[in-house]
Amino acid sequence: MIWNPNKECMSREQMRELQGKRLQKLVQYVYHNVPFYRNKMQEMNVSPEDIVTIDDIVKLPFTTKQDLRDNYPYGLQAAPASEIVRVHASSGTTGNPTIVGYTRKDLAVWSEVMTRCLTAFGVTRDDTFSVSYGYGLFTGGLGAHYGVENLGATVIPASTGNTEKHIRLIRDLNITGIACTPSYALYLAETLDKMGIDKSEIGLRVGAFGAEPWTENMRKEIESRLGLKGYNIYGLSEIMGPGVSYECQEQNGSHINEDHFYPEIINPDTLEQLPYGEQGELVFTTLTKEGMPLLRYRTKDLCTLMDGECPCGRTSVRMGRIVGRSDDMLIIRGINVFPSQVESVILEMPEFEPQYMLVVDRVNNLDTIQVQVEVRKDFFSDDIGSMLAMKKRLSDKLKSVLSIAADVRLMEPGSIERAQGKGKHVIDKRKLQ
Amino acid sequence: MIIRQLSIFLENRTGRINEVARILAENGINMQAFSMAETADFGLLRLIVPDVDKAVEVLRAADIAVMVTDVLCVNSPNVPGALSAVLEKLAANGIFIEYMYAFSDGDSANVIIRPNNIEEAVRILS
Ligand SMILES: [Zn+2]
């Protein structure tokens, strides 16, 4: 099923024309409403009149995560505050989260693109659908929620946590679809086993999985253990949230909602635009956004773009799997974690040496993060209680900064390997093959 | 009497405790008594040695996190009931024991006690 064939199956010429018009309008809008972009364009000697077709996008400046941080909280917002009806935030590296404001129209677009995704997954108004992304500042929960409502299915806002209760609801309410991270889906499968409930006792048939990288093997495992078909959904909060792209029944790449989010692949070193089929950094321009529109936002995600017809009938460009990151960001249980966030917490606490190591793993299909820190000689104590209190102080601070729990290991001074030059602070044991 | 005890922080790394024992042995330092307190991810090794200063020096040289803690060493006859009399006396005077361990050298038993108030505990027992 296709929710909006007018847009999803538009001819390529019509789509390019629409994108060109929208880009023109967008550039006028940000030029006059966002000093950051006006200054950048003036420095580059580009005026809004220089943008005529979508191909002119290469004349425009890039936007980076650092730009969002530098303009914290509302510096890149284009719409007046009175037009903003919701704000989401995602974690940043320096303690400043990224703040994204949405206008009423932005939320309507978001619901629309989410509904396209769900429809492509085969969800209909007859489904009962559990949204098991976290609700809150994170875009996952509410983003998926309004898509399900817009589609007309029944939404169960389960959020995360209390997995056993959730499984009872899945069984008792005959929940047929679920949106969550792939690692949470595997955790659900395990809990199901633990509770002694067979997959035949539950009616899940569709899973919308995203917010963290996953593999074909994980898909197979989730599908066989939960008895459903799993689809990839991609998004990022800076651009919108979940719903930027989605798999169709062909599952050969994810269709991008390119009437709203214009994709490019660039060489992350030269910043040159690359042709379809070449691997590079994914860049998005929000063609229709009002609250915080972004020009050529560098996602840091590495992948390829594919054009050409898809047997499903959609004509939109597809993106391949994310094969890596062009920086050191870690995605843990769908949450962005930067080593520098951990560093800033440790540097603030006199009890610890400025040495640390993050060990990331996937245990029982759930991402785990361990933070190893060295206790300074003067802060050792013969009292176990005070050592445990020290550990808890650090755990609590990390939890509030990272939004996820980290397992803190207190180490002896000198026991963490010193890196030469730029410190290597991450050991990622997750195998994404 | 108050004696000095070594408290050594150990991450639960295999072989770390052997390393402590080896360093002490190589330097001719005898371990008279020890106790190991463990949590899920780290341990505290508490040691009684004859030459505290030398032990601290050689362990620190090997980057081992060692600190010195004052504890009470109570010598009592190695007969049933001797220890409980000591403990009752402390409890009756409101002294709380953080940890304790014992070692015997034949006729008498030595009990290492870490009370919450060491001076007060000495006064009560003397
Ligand atoms: Zn398709």
Side-chain angles (χ1 to χ4, degrees), chain A residues 221-362:
Chain A
E221 191 180 346
I222 294 168
E223 289 183 339
S224 78
R225 293 179 68 179
L226 288 179
L228 50 66
K229 196 158 158 58
Y231 296 88
N232 189 44
I233 181 165
Y234 173 86
L236 61 170
S237 58
E238 296 88 340
I239 296 302
M240 186 60 98
V244 172
S245 75
Y246 55 97
E247 280 181 335
C248 62
Q249 299 294 319
E250 302 296 321
Q251 300 197 318
N252 177 23
S254 298
H255 287 280
I256 295 172
N257 283 304
E258 55 171 332
D259 51 330
H260 296 292
F261 317 113
Y262 184 76
E264 296 172 82
I265 291 286
I266 61 161
N267 176 323
D269 301 320
T270 65
L271 305 184
E272 236 177 301
Q273 196 190 69
L274 298 175
Y276 291 145
E278 280 193 37
Q279 187 176 302
E281 182 179 334
L282 184 61
V283 169
F284 279 111
T285 298
T286 60
L287 292 176
T288 54
K289 214 152 172 229
E290 294 180 337
M292 194 183 80
L294 296 179
L295 299 182
R296 308 188 83 193
Y297 179 70
R298 296 184 56 184
T299 65
K300 304 283 181 187
D301 284 331
L302 300 175
C303 68
T304 54
L305 290 179
M306 299 171 261
D307 62 348
E309 270 172 47
C310 180
C312 75
R314 290 176 184 82
T315 51
S316 47
V317 163
R318 283 160 289 154
M319 53 184 272
R321 276 195 184 278
I322 306 294
V323 296
R325 299 278 311 169
S326 60
D327 66 3
D328 61 357
M329 186 183 86
L330 297 162
I331 300 179
I332 295 165
R333 282 176 247 154
I335 307 276
N336 298 353
V337 172
F338 294 84
S340 49
Q341 288 175 297
V342 175
E343 189 169 296
S344 63
V345 169
I346 290 170
L347 288 175
E348 277 171 23
M349 298 179 71
E351 301 96 301
F352 304 110
E353 298 279 351
Q355 293 294 337
Y356 66 95
M357 184 65 82
L358 308 184
V359 182
V360 182
D361 204 348
R362 192 163 276 165

Side-chain angles (χ1 to χ4, degrees), chain A residues 370 372-375 380 387 409-418, chain B residues 8-20 36-45 63-65:
Chain A
Q370 183 185 83
Q372 302 179 344
V373 280
E374 293 183 3
V375 180
F380 280 111
M387 295 291 284
R409 304 290 286 210
L410 302 181
M411 311 283 281
E412 304 169 40
S415 59
I416 294 174
E417 202 186 323
R418 267 46 172 181
Chain B
I8 297 171
F9 177 83
L10 297 170
E11 323 145 13
N12 282 349
R13 262 194 298 159
T14 7
R16 198 60 171 151
I17 198 162
N18 295 349
E19 210 180 325
V20 171
M36 184 73 192
E38 272 178 292
T39 72
D41 58 4
F42 67 86
L44 276 173
L45 175 65
D63 264 331
I64 284 168

